[in-house]
Amino acid sequence: MPIRFYQLDAFTDQLFGGNPAAVCPLTEWLPDETMQTIAAENNLAETAFYVPVDREQGLYHIRWFTPTVEVDLCGHATLASAYVVFFLEKTEEGETLSFDSRSGILKVRREEDWLILDFPTDSTHIAIQPPALETSLGGLKPIEVLKGKTDYLIVFENEQQIRDMQPDFRELATIPARGIIVTAPGNAPIDFVSRFFGPQSGIDEDPVTGSAHTTLIPYWAEKLGKTELTARQISKRGGFLKCKLLHERVEIGGQVKLYLTGEFEL
């Protein structure tokens, strides 16, 4: 059975930037173990699979897999999937579509070559720093340590600290969380920067993490006193995001570049 396959770079306008994701459009679901095996074979941070539910309503069901586990939410692979629907498969003629997911209904709106994700916010609380955290991040002292639904949010004083960070991923993997978000105020005109470390989920550093911004946007909106923000994830590949806080939801805007198209046989 041939399966169509796309690989795209999300949250960037430059090929080989942003976060690569694989997208496989399906007409019906494959067995879970097959989708996990495909994701492991792709060996990208995320492989997304989607199935049409109601094309007249622009509704699709989506699931995301790292090389090792299925996850509840993924921003960059959702952005890439929307790009496939709108511009490659061209199964959606309207300006919006909806993905039904483990995290509820996720809407995506297109504005020329930008795609805007509408995601639920993550709430955080002050947390006790796990003993392994400070040593695994090179002994740097954070300003704040918070915990969201699945991730730790570690706040530092300045952008250079985030850029220079060289984590001990083996030690980070012992911390009970999906991953570790490190963040600081950005250098103008960028409002905030971040990096995301997820050895617990099979990827040491994720290049650009849309889902992490469901935690980052509410935090920085409160700290900076504004609801529209610009963000950079300053991994080696890097990515740019336009962010907006909407009460209990956030908008995360990004661009996508197509890298390859093809198909494989099962």
Side-chain angles (χ1 to χ4, degrees), residues 198-234:
Q200 302 92 325
S201 300
I203 179 81
D204 283 348
E205 180 166 4
D206 194 37
V208 192
T209 315
S211 60
H213 286 74
T214 65
T215 308
L216 287 159
I217 294 169
Y219 176 85
W220 286 112
E222 181 179 358
K223 290 293 182 183
L224 300 177
K226 58 183 184 178
T227 57
E228 295 190 28
L229 308 106
T230 55
R232 284 197 182 277
Q233 193 155 331
I234 51 176

Side-chain angles (χ1 to χ4, degrees), residues 25 27 39 58 70 96 107 124 138 141 144 174-175 192 201 210 217 219 240 244:
T27 56
E70 183 174 6
T96 63
K107 294 183 178 181
T124 58
K141 299 289 186 181
E144 288 186 90
T174 66
I175 297 171
F192 67 89
S201 300
I217 294 169
Y219 176 85
F240 176 73
K244 188 174 183 178

Side-chain angles (χ1 to χ4, degrees), residues 252-265:
I252 307 167
Q255 295 169 291
V256 178
K257 296 294 288 186
L258 174 65
Y259 173 58
L260 67 83
T261 63
E263 67 177 32
F264 56 87
E265 292 284 340

Side-chain angles (χ1 to χ4, degrees), residues 161-177:
Q161 290 176 302
I162 306 299
R163 288 188 179 276
D164 293 343
M165 198 171 286
Q166 296 183 7
D168 180 336
F169 292 114
R170 186 170 298 178
E171 193 165 2
L172 267 185
T174 66
I175 297 171

Side-chain angles (χ1 to χ4, degrees), residues 127-135 140 142 145 152 154:
I128 298 173
Q129 180 170 295
L133 188 58
E134 184 177 334
T135 55
L140 291 174
V145 176
Y152 277 96
I154 316 300

Side-chain angles (χ1 to χ4, degrees), residues 176-187:
R178 180 190 71 151
I180 309 298
I181 308 165
V182 295
T183 187
N187 297 330

Side-chain angles (χ1 to χ4, degrees), residues 127-157:
I128 298 173
Q129 180 170 295
L133 188 58
E134 184 177 334
T135 55
S136 62
L137 295 179
L140 291 174
K141 299 289 186 181
I143 295 172
E144 288 186 90
V145 176
L146 302 100
K147 182 70 164 57
K149 181 180 178 182
T150 59
D151 304 323
Y152 277 96
L153 178 64
I154 316 300
V155 185
F156 290 89
E157 185 177 350

Side-chain angles (χ1 to χ4, degrees), residues 23-240:
V23 178
C24 296
L26 302 173
T27 56
E28 59 184 23
W29 289 114
L30 301 170
D32 290 3
E33 58 269 23
T34 300
M35 292 189 286
Q36 185 64 74
T37 300
I38 292 168
E41 181 76 9
N42 292 339
N43 198 32
L44 297 170
E46 302 285 350
T47 296
F49 301 86
Y50 72 80
V51 172
V53 176
D54 187 339
R55 282 181 174 162
E56 289 187 3
Q57 299 296 318
L59 180 61
Y60 302 78
H61 192 191
I62 192 168
R63 296 172 69 182
W64 312 276
F65 292 80
T66 77
T68 58
V69 296
E70 183 174 6
V71 297
D72 291 339
L73 185 64
C74 176
H76 84 280
T78 303
L79 200 78
S81 297
Y83 186 93
V84 170
V85 173
F86 279 129
F87 300 113
L88 301 178
E89 296 283 307
K90 298 182 180 179
T91 54
E92 185 55 51
E93 297 181 355
E95 298 303 312
T96 63
L97 60 80
S98 299
F99 288 114
D100 188 6
S101 76
R102 281 185 172 189
S103 295
I105 297 295
L106 309 173
K107 294 183 178 181
V108 188
R109 181 176 78 254
R110 62 176 172 179
E111 297 179 354
E112 298 180 347
D113 62 340
W114 285 82
L115 295 171
I116 314 299
L117 305 175
D118 180 338
F119 276 17
T121 59
D122 184 25
S123 59
T124 58
H125 59 271
I126 299 296
I128 298 173
Q129 180 170 295
L133 188 58
E134 184 177 334
T135 55
S136 62
L137 295 179
L140 291 174
K141 299 289 186 181
I143 295 172
E144 288 186 90
V145 176
L146 302 100
K147 182 70 164 57
K149 181 180 178 182
T150 59
D151 304 323
Y152 277 96
L153 178 64
I154 316 300
V155 185
F156 290 89
E157 185 177 350
N158 60 65
E159 179 174 321
Q160 198 60 46
Q161 290 176 302
I162 306 299
R163 288 188 179 276
D164 293 343
M165 198 171 286
Q166 296 183 7
D168 180 336
F169 292 114
R170 186 170 298 178
E171 193 165 2
L172 267 185
T174 66
I175 297 171
R178 180 190 71 151
I180 309 298
I181 308 165
V182 295
T183 187
N187 297 330
I190 301 300
D191 289 307
F192 67 89
V193 298
S194 67
R195 290 171 70 185
F196 183 91
F197 309 126
Q200 302 92 325
S201 300
I203 179 81
D204 283 348
E205 180 166 4
D206 194 37
V208 192
T209 315
S211 60
H213 286 74
T214 65
T215 308
L216 287 159
I217 294 169
Y219 176 85
W220 286 112
E222 181 179 358
K223 290 293 182 183
L224 300 177
K226 58 183 184 178
T227 57
E228 295 190 28
L229 308 106
T230 55
R232 284 197 182 277
Q233 193 155 331
I234 51 176
S235 62
K236 183 177 180 180
R237 293 175 65 100
F240 176 73

